Amino acid sequence: MSANRSSAAPSVTTGTQPGGSSSMSRDENANGQHNAWKAAIESTLAKCSSDQKLILSQIKTPEAARAALLTVKLQQRSRKSLMVLGKIRRVLDAVKVFENAMRVYSNAGMTELCLLWGSLTVVIQMASRAVSCFDKFLDLMVFLTENLHRTEGYAKLFKSDQRIAMFWRVVWPRFERRLASVDAQMRSHQALVDVEASAATMISTLSAESDAREYRKMWRHRAVITWLEPTDVQTDYERLKTQRLAGLGDWLFEETCVKQWRKGDSDILWINGIPGCGKTMLMSAFLDRLLEPDGGREATECTIFFFSDANSGTRNCSVALLRSLAAQLLAQNPELADVAYQIEVQSGQPRATSTTYLTRILQFLLDANTNFDIVTIVIDALDECSDMEESDVLDFFLRLVGKVQPKLRLLLSSRIESGLRDRLKNYPKLSVTPEKTYTDIETYIRTTLQDSNMANLQEGRLLSHITEQLTSKSNGQFLWVRLMLHELRKATFVWEIEDILNDLPAGLQKAYLRIIHKLTTEPRRRQEAARALFSWLACTERSLSLGELECALALRSGDQSLEPAAQMVNLQLLLDEVCGSLVEILGSDQNAVRLVHVTIKEFLVAPPHLWETDNQALLRFHVDANASHAYIASTCITQLCFPDVKQISIREERHRIQTKCQLLSYALMFWATHLSKSGQPTHELLRQVLWFLDSRNMEAYLEWYSQQKTTAQSITLLQSQFTAWISQLNAGDPRVELTVNRFREHFEKTAQGRAENFGRNSPEHLESVHQLATLLHSAGAWEAAEKSARQCSEAREMKLGLDHPLTMESTFQLGTLLRRLGRVAEAVNLHTTVLEGRRKVLGTYHPDTLETEDELATTTLATKTFEQACKAEQMSRETLLRKSRHYGKDHERTAATKNILASILKDKALALKESGQGLLAVEILKECEKLCLSCMQVRRTTFGEDHPEVSTTCNMLGIVTQHLGRLEESEQWHQKTLMTRLKIFGPDNPHKQRSMRNLVNTYAEQFEIEKSQRMRRRLIASLLINPVLLRRASWSAYESCAVEAHTHGSGQG
């Protein structure tokens, strides 16, 4: 009977059984036991993690379990550790009793006991992770194990009484069925828990993905806003609301054209008028009506706005206008942040400066908007956008009206200037005439004076007299009235008021002269402070805070600290008493001091003869732009030379230093800008600049500049601004070369310092080497630049890999330098490799990829074969097509490709001309000229006259017109190129030497032999100083002349 027991039932070893037992039965019984334990162990292990399997395999005794569970107390709070350990000890002692019984019932060995002690250890360790319920779990374990001591007695009975064994075999099937039912219920519950867990996991995953999408959208929205860097127009609007009197401008909404515009009969309305007539206040009143939910604005209408300000460098250009409008539209449609972010990435710009991309992103936001049926754009003071007449931004808005959904409406205001008048003459307009503003001016005067003593004098007749006089002579200009009221409030006697009213100036200019005339009666020190104040406010690159302005006015050239005696007691008092009617402080935290109106700035910087006075005391307040920029540059450099500034590159010290040196933030950003606008260098300013360049402060400044994530091109622009200033000295002046070379020396020191501090070929060191190579490249030291670029390229390739963007950046620069040095084959290989990498990593339309296509076409052309010229032409035309689609036809990047294609066509035409195909060559040269003129128009608008890219196009036009036989025109282009390159690059730069060679050839073709020889001698002298071009085969004709000149010079010496 015992031999036929089911293997599923507990195996029983009974010692010597009645009637005996065969050895085969004992073997079968042992095998059954072994198989049962093996199946149980395998089933348990299959459900465990790797860490749990390790515990089950190792924990086979109560001692091992106790040692493993001692770690549990370390996972609990220290105040409960003894309690936890006590409960675990009670559980272990009880299970030890159960182990003895288990050995009797199942003949279990050490391997099988892992299921007991290992499982117990795993369960308690898993429970210990849930600190909040661990105590309750241990209490349950203690309760269960308190009954385990009975198993010891059952084991003794099992050994001594065979009837117990027989009874067990009888009752076991029933127990097994009940146990199976419980097991099935537990498995069912486990399945339900697994389903719930899977559903919870799925829900959690979907929720996480949704959260990730929302976070990405939020992050991209923030990134686009940072890229746009919009001005705070809401603050402007709130300020205007507080300044505007209630009811002022109500007449505006009774005008027929305004009613028609508001009803939607017209989409554009232009409000115009003379300076100071209150246009900005009228626009703020209009905004009130548009923004009020119950004030006529439709529920599905969106209004965005911008207030231009010629006094502010952040509000006086079309780029600032587009940035602000795009940011406001994006705020109304945050769901469009993803696509807006893609446009930002495509631009390749760290900050939005391209009108092409800004108009693209604005048009996308308008087209994709689904939240509003109508979008209204309000732009005040269009005439104060300095580039509005030259740019096509206004035309962009006019083109959109009537062509986009949602419907677009424009509300514009400006002075009546010829350029704007011609472009807006066919649209509805409202002119703000004196007759329309007289009632508002009367209200303004009475409200302003009603709380003063003048309101009650002469039983109110004086107030009526003042109101009548000022209104009749105001010509509808609120600004003029404001200036006169400020003067009247200073009167002490009634007869003074009468004198002022009897001698009112006619117009704003006379009013300004009258105010300045009063300044001439102030003490000398106050006059000096006022003149310095006007210079700062008329020429500053951004608005200054009261603290910055106090520091600026107190500093003197050579100061090493702000002397206590030089500090201003009360700048606000000076502004109120001396310049109060011309200057205002904006913001509750006094964060912007500015001139009251743009016409004041225009008056201060106007040529002296327009002041219509010979009074020298008055003319001392005239602001000379060059002298003012020189004064501001000197003040900025003085601030930069403070001893504390040596630590500006230490981030932890920066806040302390900027608090102590209040002008430092402005000086760091704009000292070189003011220097480049200061005209001919003076001896004193040059001395100060040289001292700064020799100081440790300059090294700290360049280190700070590098920390701002500034590109090498921006640092080159800094050097270009500096070089443009210093190059105004005589080219032979030794201070020119000395000063220009300081930048190179500082970058070499910076690179060396970073190699010592961060390690040679560290990312920081290689960035400095790359910047140094860029500066050497710009300065014409191509051979030295090639060494630095090669070092950077090879090190980055080793550390980062060939396809890393930084490696490709350095390799691209190396290829360009090799092309300039005449090593064309090597340059072609490098640029081909970079192009393949950038297409793969960055994409076809990335700016760096398109720039590489341009450079590869230029390098291919440098091989000087007709076949390669045709290949380069095909490449360049494909790039031009891509750029035109991507950037637009009038974008600067597109213009760069036009210039390259023109160069290719020029070389191709010359090759055709030499082969006898003159007519075809002329046609190609005409296409080349057309491309150059188109490129010139874009580059002049974008960069101004004195820019390297403009000089490149001028040079190309000189060459093309020369080959078309228009030699006088060619000479003019080459002369202009030479003067511009001399100003930008200095006397012995290879770019300038090329222009000199072109002039040599042009003079020779015109048979002006003397001019040609004189220019040739100048060229040879320059090549002796910088002979880099003589290493190129195309300059071999000049090498022998240079040697002769050198020999001749040595003989004379």
Side-chain angles (χ1 to χ4, degrees), residues 755-768:
E756 295 171 357
N757 295 330
F758 299 102
R760 186 172 179 79
N761 293 340
S762 64
E764 294 82 3
H765 173 235
L766 292 177
E767 176 60 24
S768 289

Side-chain angles (χ1 to χ4, degrees), residues 138-184:
L138 285 181
D139 291 339
L140 175 63
M141 293 291 292
V142 170
F143 171 77
L144 292 173
T145 55
E146 282 177 348
N147 294 301
L148 291 180
H149 70 276
R150 299 177 181 177
T151 58
E152 190 172 18
Y154 296 154
K156 292 178 181 178
L157 288 172
F158 204 78
K159 282 184 177 180
S160 61
D161 194 341
Q162 293 299 316
R163 289 174 299 178
I164 296 294
M166 187 179 297
F167 172 75
W168 180 259
R169 287 194 290 271
V170 172
V171 301
W172 172 253
R174 184 179 176 186
F175 176 77
E176 184 179 22
R177 287 193 296 272
R178 292 180 62 187
L179 183 63
S181 175
V182 172
D183 181 63

Side-chain angles (χ1 to χ4, degrees), residues 17 43 78 95 131 173 289 328 449 513 543 592 671 683 732 789 799-800 816 851 943:
Q17 301 179 18
S43 175
S78 58
V95 175
V131 177
R289 302 291 181 98
Q328 291 176 70
L449 297 179
L513 280 172
S543 297
W671 73 274
H683 175 76
K799 284 182 169 290
L800 305 174
T816 303
E851 182 186 13
F943 302 121

Side-chain angles (χ1 to χ4, degrees), residues 681-885:
T682 63
H683 175 76
E684 179 59 28
L685 185 56
L686 186 60
R687 181 197 63 77
Q688 189 180 9
V689 169
L690 287 171
W691 192 93
F692 174 51
L693 292 179
D694 276 335
S695 69
R696 171 69 182 85
N697 296 50
M698 182 64 179
E699 295 177 14
Y701 165 74
L702 290 175
E703 183 68 24
W704 169 85
Y705 210 85
S706 299
Q707 291 173 3
Q708 308 310 302
K709 297 183 179 179
T710 309
T711 62
Q713 288 75 18
S714 296
I715 295 176
T716 305
L717 178 61
L718 171 67
Q719 187 196 33
S720 297
Q721 291 176 330
F722 185 77
T723 305
W725 173 73
I726 196 66
S727 295
Q728 296 179 74
L729 290 174
N730 187 297
D733 192 322
R735 294 175 297 181
V736 175
E737 184 177 0
L738 174 67
T739 309
V740 171
N741 286 339
R742 291 294 163 82
F743 271 84
R744 172 177 175 173
E745 293 169 7
H746 278 296
F747 270 97
E748 288 174 342
K749 288 181 181 178
T750 301
Q752 183 178 354
R754 287 187 163 189
E756 295 171 357
N757 295 330
F758 299 102
R760 186 172 179 79
N761 293 340
S762 64
E764 294 82 3
H765 173 235
L766 292 177
E767 176 60 24
S768 289
V769 173
H770 178 70
Q771 292 173 352
L772 175 61
T774 304
L775 290 172
L776 293 171
H777 189 173
S778 173
W782 294 341
E783 291 173 328
E786 186 264 338
K787 293 179 181 178
S788 295
R790 188 177 294 279
Q791 174 191 346
C792 188
S793 175
E794 292 175 352
R796 281 178 167 174
E797 181 178 349
M798 184 178 299
K799 284 182 169 290
L800 305 174
L802 188 61
D803 289 339
H804 193 280
L806 290 177
T807 306
M808 292 189 286
E809 179 184 39
S810 298
T811 306
F812 175 79
Q813 184 182 54
L814 176 60
T816 303
L817 286 163
L818 290 172
R819 172 180 64 80
R820 294 190 183 281
L821 291 169
R823 293 153 64 180
V824 178
E826 190 177 353
V828 168
N829 291 335
L830 289 178
H831 284 144
T832 302
T833 301
V834 172
L835 180 58
E836 292 173 355
R838 283 180 166 173
R839 281 176 174 169
K840 180 173 68 174
V841 175
L842 304 177
T844 303
Y845 285 94
H846 193 277
D848 290 348
T849 305
L850 295 172
E851 182 186 13
T852 310
E853 291 181 1
D854 282 338
E855 184 60 29
L856 180 58
T858 304
T859 307
T860 303
L861 177 65
T863 56
K864 298 296 181 183
T865 66
F866 186 77
E867 180 182 355
Q868 292 299 315
C870 293
K871 181 180 178 182
E873 179 188 357
Q874 181 181 355
M875 292 168 57
S876 189
R877 289 191 186 277
E878 291 174 356
T879 304
L880 180 59
L881 183 61
R882 276 194 286 273
K883 282 191 174 183
S884 298
R885 290 173 178 170

Side-chain angles (χ1 to χ4, degrees), residues 887-902:
Y887 299 117
K889 294 182 179 179
D890 295 328
H891 193 274
E892 188 279 322
R893 293 180 187 270
T894 308
T897 305
K898 288 181 180 179
N899 198 85
I900 291 169
L901 179 57

